[in-house]
Amino acid sequence: MTDVIIPALGESITEATVGQWLKNPGDKVAADEPIVSLETDKVAVEVPSPVAGVMGEQLFKVGDTVAVGAMIARIDGGEGGAVTAPTPAVVKEAAPAAAASAPAKTAAPAEPTSHIDDTPPTKPVPEVGNAVPAAPAPDAIAPAVRKLLGDYNLEPASITGTGLDGRLTKGDVLAAIEAGTAKVIGAPAAAAPAPAAAERREERVRMTRLRQTIARRLKEAQDTAAMLTTFNDVDMTAVMAARARYKDLFEKKHGVRLGFMSFFAKAVVLALRDVPAVNAAIEGDEIVYRDYADLGIAASSPGGLVVPVLRNADKLSFAETEKAIGDFGKRAQAGKLAIADLQGGTFTITNGGVFGSLMSTPILNTPQSGVLGMHRIEERPVVRDGQIVARPMMYLALSYDHRLVDGREAVTFLVRVKEAIEDPARLLLDM
């Protein structure tokens, strides 16, 4: 028997929650094959098997808290002795823990929460008429995915799973909903009576570690910083014209699409140079000023909002910036961001406009002192040279820590961003 030990999960991370067992007792396991998904404060990490063999005893249940260095399972067939699993490099979406509460750090073996059939897959049978493919077994679907399917009353068999052994992930369900390919189970009766009061139900679902961390950090930001938000608007005409003119040539040369985020990242870098307080942080009774810009770019993931860090953004070209941001977005949706991708950062940019937000007051990503909120672009009447014209306008919001950043500095920062976006030549001339 070989012991599987929880490896180091990243700086300052000492424990995690068992999110999902990927192998059941008796299942064959290859060396380095993931056997369990752990939820940390930032992302979910898959722990691989250190040896090939057969999955043996599972020492923790879904929802249990496990410490780094603890033994979590045993593999039968490998060489004896305790073996620490390799440091995990693959990150999956965080699956919420089971709703039923369980004592943390218990050492009692648990019944498996999912089932993987070892029998060879049968050849798929083509659909005939209105036949629907057999749905995955209920115990093969993670609790978070099952809840999402239930919320939308969807048929699991109508959605293609991309997870381990074809399992459905939250990303698969959300993508099917957006594409309109997911099938709704049954159809409501035309004259169905209103549900009686006795039929009303509630469901309690334990928060994932990621959601708990998001909630805690956002509240800490409100409790710690003297947070204030100032607004401005920006005319997107020049940037949109530049993008339309060069996007095809840019993509042909660099292999990546030219978006708006690289313009804003460059504009923020210029503004941070002019107003260094926005790029600084308070540590105790000292102010730490930086001569570099590590930009956190907020991205949506199936498990919640994550903020991967674009390091040394002040030294990156437009193409390098676009490639890095595009890579962050893809890996965030696939649940493959590494913990190192989310650490650090001196300033954050968040774009609520992709979801249709017109205006918002973003919350600081402490200990940072500033966060820029972008919003949707819409045509609005503005006055140019004494004439009322329609222009593509965007509201910008800068939330900042008033303990460190004065109102004059905050307004100056936003004006610098506005000037650079309305006259993109400033980005090339470093003005």
Side-chain angles (χ1 to χ4, degrees):
M1 299 290 287
T2 299
D3 299 339
V4 181
I5 306 300
I6 302 297
L9 300 175
E11 183 182 354
S12 75
I13 297 179
T14 59
E15 62 181 20
T17 299
V18 179
Q20 182 181 7
W21 281 102
L22 305 178
K23 289 292 184 178
N24 296 311
D27 289 345
K28 294 181 180 178
V29 179
D32 296 326
E33 183 178 7
I35 61 173
V36 64
S37 175
L38 301 179
E39 297 177 14
T40 71
D41 291 344
K42 297 179 181 292
V43 288
V45 180
E46 287 183 344
V47 176
S49 171
V51 296
V54 176
M55 186 69 189
E57 187 179 14
Q58 297 173 346
L59 303 179
F60 293 89
K61 301 189 297 292
V62 171
D64 284 351
T65 298
V66 293
V68 171
M71 180 171 65
I72 191 172
R74 293 188 176 93
I75 303 297
D76 188 9
E79 297 180 0
V83 180
T84 301
T87 300
V90 179
V91 178
K92 290 286 186 179
E93 64 167 332
S101 61
K105 301 184 181 178
T106 177
E111 290 298 323
T113 58
S114 60
H115 178 71
I116 302 177
D117 193 1
D118 280 333
T119 56
T122 57
K123 194 171 183 179
V125 180
E127 292 191 25
V128 180
N130 295 325
V132 179
D139 59 357
I141 301 176
V145 180
R146 190 181 306 117
K147 180 179 183 301
L148 188 59
L149 290 168
D151 289 344
Y152 288 89
N153 195 30
L154 301 179
E155 171 57 57
S158 67
I159 304 173
T160 301
T162 61
L164 182 68
D165 295 337
R167 294 173 182 267
L168 292 182
T169 68
K170 287 180 66 176
D172 298 332
V173 179
L174 293 173
I177 293 173
E178 183 177 353
T181 57
K183 296 181 180 178
V184 177
I185 299 175
E199 296 179 357
R200 302 196 324 174
R201 296 182 300 169
E202 292 182 352
E203 182 179 3
R204 293 181 181 270
V205 179
R206 185 176 175 180
M207 294 174 67
T208 64
R209 292 186 71 93
L210 175 60
R211 178 52 60 184
Q212 292 179 43
T213 301
I214 291 173
R216 184 180 67 252
R217 287 182 58 83
L218 292 180
K219 187 56 181 173
E220 285 176 355
Q222 291 182 321
D223 292 342
T224 303
M227 198 156 50
L228 187 63
T229 304
T230 186
F231 300 91
N232 211 323
D233 61 0
V234 58
D235 188 340
M236 297 290 292
T237 301
V239 164
M240 293 176 69
R243 181 173 179 267
R245 181 175 181 181
Y246 296 110
K247 65 178 182 179
D248 293 337
L249 183 61
F250 186 90
E251 185 172 5
K252 181 178 180 181
K253 181 174 182 178
H254 299 292
V256 63
R257 296 182 62 185
L258 178 62
F260 294 126
M261 187 59 82
S262 58
F263 286 94
F264 277 93
K266 288 294 182 183
V268 163
V269 166
L270 290 180
L272 291 176
R273 290 176 181 170
D274 287 349
V275 191
V278 183
N279 198 42
I282 294 177
E283 292 187 4
D285 58 356
E286 296 180 332
I287 300 175
V288 181
Y289 291 96
R290 289 91 166 222
D291 65 352
Y292 57 90
D294 289 348
L295 301 184
I297 309 296
S300 178
S301 76
L305 186 71
V306 292
V307 187
V309 178
L310 184 66
R311 306 192 189 281
N312 298 314
D314 51 318
K315 295 180 173 59
L316 300 180
S317 67
F318 269 79
E320 290 170 332
T321 300
E322 287 291 354
K323 288 178 181 178
I325 292 174
D327 178 62
F328 284 154
K330 291 177 182 177
R331 288 196 286 142
Q333 284 299 316
K336 294 184 179 179
L337 285 172
I339 293 176
D341 295 326
L342 308 175
Q343 295 176 332
T346 63
F347 184 88
T348 294
I349 303 176
T350 180
N351 185 6
V354 296
F355 304 108
S357 172
L358 177 64
M359 187 180 294
S360 67
T361 55
I363 298 179
L364 289 174
N365 184 17
T366 55
Q368 298 173 19
S369 298
V371 54
L372 179 71
M374 299 166 54
H375 301 90
R376 77 169 185 252
I377 302 171
E378 65 173 8
E379 284 199 343
R380 293 200 296 270
V382 296
V383 178
R384 295 289 185 267
D385 300 324
Q387 301 293 322
I388 299 177
V389 295
R391 291 293 177 88
M393 304 296 294
M394 176 194 289
Y395 285 117
L396 298 179
L398 174 70
S399 291
Y400 58 97
D401 189 346
H402 210 348
R403 298 178 302 165
L404 175 59
V405 182
D406 295 331
R408 175 184 60 84
E409 293 173 310
V411 172
T412 300
F413 177 91
L414 267 186
V415 169
R416 292 290 182 270
V417 173
K418 174 183 173 71
E419 290 173 344
I421 295 299
E422 293 185 343
D423 184 8
R426 289 174 175 266
L427 301 176
L428 301 177
L429 300 175
D430 196 14
M431 295 177 60

